[in-house]
Amino acid sequence: MRTLWAIAALLCSYPVLLAAALWPSPVLFGVVAAGSYAVEYLASRADDRLLDLLDRVHLGITLRFLVREMAAVLLVARTAGPDSGWFVALPLGLLAAHGLRAVQAGLAVRLRQALHAMPVTTRNLDVSALRIPRMPPGFLVDRRGARFLYLDLLPVLAAPFGATAAALGAGAALLAGAAGALALIPYVLRAAPLFDRARVLDVVSRQVAAYRPEVILYFSGATEAAYQARMWLSTLERIGRRAIVVLRERGMADHLEGTSLPILCIPSAADLMSFRPLGEARLCLYVANVGRNIHMLRVLGLRSAFIGHGDSDKEASFNPFSKVYDEVWVAGQAGRDRYLRARVGVRDEDVYEVGRPQLEGISAAGPALPYRTVLYAPTWEGWTDDLFHTSLTTMGPGIVRALLEHRPPLRVIYKPHPLTGHRDRTAARAHRRINAMIEAAELAGARARHPSNPVRSARAAPIRHLVVTGPEPHLYDCFNQADLMIGDISSVVTEFLASGKPYAVTNVSGLPERAFHERYPSSEAGVLLGADLAGLAALLDGEDTLGSARRKLRTHLLGPDYPDALTRFNAAVERAFAGS
């Protein structure tokens, strides 16, 4: 809303500027012009979407700056007269500055093209032979070239002081623009060899061949889905074979931080299928069923295994697409049973139970705070309505409100799925509503704890609620900070069982309890929450009678405790090697 008001103020400033120039009123012009620049800058940092909307209605950034420049020229014409030599110098200087901005933008585009022309990019591999240049400071290559446009504030804000000041300001802007354009030239020259695709492929190929990868972790998808690959990195760092990560989308490696594994990004299908060093590997692991998997599946001699990104009772955990792989790896017996029940073409002999090595750091102990912590971790709305398991839209605000109003007080950790709101705006609105509720609770708590509050008491003990929308803290860290969890049908419920702590599952579909447990076995050892939230009191205030049921279900879903999951996963890798 603040950004919307800023845009309105920005648009209203233009007629005021023109009126001040024609009046003329230099003081009013200077004040409004300075405010207009400030609002433009703040709006650009707050929300690009509204500025993009202005672009679509032909009120783009260049036009907005030109209006201010035109107003400055009019002001000088009205105050100094059009016969002044300084007046003539002002528009010429402004025009030349725009020409230099075009040169700067062209150089920046050329530099970006050189980096994007690379058929393969890497991380954790020595490709120093390519001599990839460092990127210049961001203001030299920003997407809109807006930083260079702001140089016109020198002549525009100088215009109220007279024609001479305005012309000198235009000259200063021209010199600064020229310096910026010249500074880009060395970067562009150093990046020119990157247009040689054959050389880039040769250098990277030699480094990958020297590494001799044996196992590939393959991933393609949206940046919001990067967690699907990220969850496997630490496991692959500890197996007994050399692993490498292969990505398809540029920039995805930035979302897989903190790994020592070599990473390749090969966007082109032709380059991927002809990249010979990958053909030396024996096993490729897939974490998601996406269309671009087909390019790697076509590489001869490479055994494929689908490992997914979490076992759950969702349809994604028994997708018919899984039959294209040589093997399907699941956590425990429950994963095998899902494929058997679904009859989607995956043969039982191709399913292997390998555990979930990522879960070994999950603690059975709570955070030992003077109050209990409840984690609410809803799933997202799914790609279709048939996969709509999220409680966020129908129950989410009610759940969070009940938690915030519970007595004695509870700490709430709210961690929605990274793809929340990706398909359904209703989910995005519910998410914002929950955020606002938690912010309001935090504000009320801060007021209650303030020294000036005359009714401060022990009940005002600080409770810091937490909203987690980024990669940190990790989901498993949230598990360790929680005493209880409320979740939907998703792998989050399955993985929380590793802690042995009480949990509740939302019954979004409204199925009868028995039918719900039969369809979604991961809910059997948890409290069932319907739309009326009647089961919430049993979770929060009732006696925990499901401890033994959770231990039994954990073994069924995640496999036995011995041998440990990493040992079983590593054994699956070795067996796949022996059979390839």
Side-chain angles (χ1 to χ4, degrees), residues 224-241:
E224 296 88 348
Y227 72 94
Q228 297 174 353
R230 193 164 51 231
M231 67 171 59
W232 287 104
L233 299 179
S234 61
T235 298
L236 292 179
E237 288 173 349
R238 294 180 293 161
I239 64 173
R241 298 284 182 171

Side-chain angles (χ1 to χ4, degrees), residues 258-288:
T259 181
S260 61
L261 294 175
I263 298 177
L264 298 178
C265 177
I266 310 178
S268 165
D271 290 335
L272 175 70
M273 291 186 288
S274 62
F275 196 77
R276 292 183 179 277
L278 293 181
E280 300 302 315
R282 304 280 290 279
L283 175 64
C284 185
L285 306 176
Y286 298 82
V287 302

